[in-house]
Amino acid sequence: MNQTLTLPPVAQSFYIFCKKCDIDRYHRVLAHTTETSAKIECEVCNGRKTYNLPKAGAAARKAKSDVGRAAVRKTAHTGEYEVRNKNKMSTEATPFSVRTKYVENQKIMHPKFGLGFVQKVYNEKIDVIFSDEVKSLVHNRQ
Ligand SMILES: [Zn+2]
């Protein structure tokens, strides 16, 4: 990762892949177009192209922002859990059992997943928000 992030000087040749030749070729630098890109010409096929400096920094930033998005998703979910947790502080959590019929927003205590809040109720299933994820659980089983 110790690349020098400067363009080769104009009129100098450097070895890089040529799409036309489909192999690495020497390319002559014709002109610098920006600080990070140059017009270059293949010495064999004379194909001209724009050479861009590898953006090591940009790749690192992208990886970082992907992590950031995952964290945001996680935070959004945890946020809902925490808001519900706060709002329901006063009510007792009902121990979870598949035989019990639950209602929306009910606070439950699951033996394995811990404290959760009923988000959505179906006939035989409920979606429950736990601290790290939403789970679908069976309920109302007679
Ligand atoms: Zn070429």
Side-chain angles (χ1 to χ4, degrees):
M1 291 300 257
N2 228 350
Q3 288 162 316
T4 43
L5 291 175
T6 50
L7 289 165
V10 174
Q12 192 173 307
S13 295
F14 66 108
Y15 212 48
I16 192 170
F17 185 77
C18 175
K19 273 185 192 163
K20 264 193 186 169
C21 301
D22 198 28
I23 197 165
D24 282 353
R25 295 287 197 206
Y26 275 107
H27 287 71
R28 201 161 57 85
V29 179
L30 301 174
H32 290 175
T33 46
T34 70
E35 276 186 14
T36 56
S37 64
K39 276 266 175 278
I40 58 172
E41 186 183 69
C42 175
E43 290 190 345
V44 176
C45 72
N46 292 326
R48 293 185 179 190
K49 62 208 82 178
T50 302
Y51 168 74
N52 289 299
L53 280 175
K55 288 175 188 157
R61 271 196 301 281
K62 186 182 182 302
K64 202 175 172 186
S65 77
D66 285 348
V67 170
R69 273 199 292 281
V72 167
R73 270 202 303 277
K74 172 103 178 157
T75 307
H77 167 82
T78 311
E80 187 176 355
Y81 176 84
E82 275 163 6
V83 165
R84 283 169 187 256
N85 200 1
K86 212 172 179 179
N87 290 346
K88 306 283 172 179
M89 266 312 201
S90 50
T91 55
E92 277 291 299
T94 311
F96 179 77
S97 159
V98 294
R99 295 187 182 281
T100 310
K101 188 178 180 180
Y102 296 95
V103 295
E104 264 178 40
N105 295 321
Q106 196 164 358
K107 188 178 181 179
I108 66 167
M109 181 55 76
H110 194 279
K112 190 171 166 193
F113 308 126
L115 187 64
F117 303 95
V118 181
Q119 185 184 43
K120 195 108 181 103
V121 177
Y122 307 95
N123 243 355
E124 295 172 330
K125 280 193 169 183
I126 46 174
D127 287 339
V128 184
I129 303 177
F130 290 105
S131 62
D132 58 347
E133 62 185 316
V134 177
K135 283 195 178 293
S136 191
L137 302 174
V138 172
H139 82 138
N140 197 19
R141 177 161 292 176
Q142 303 302 311

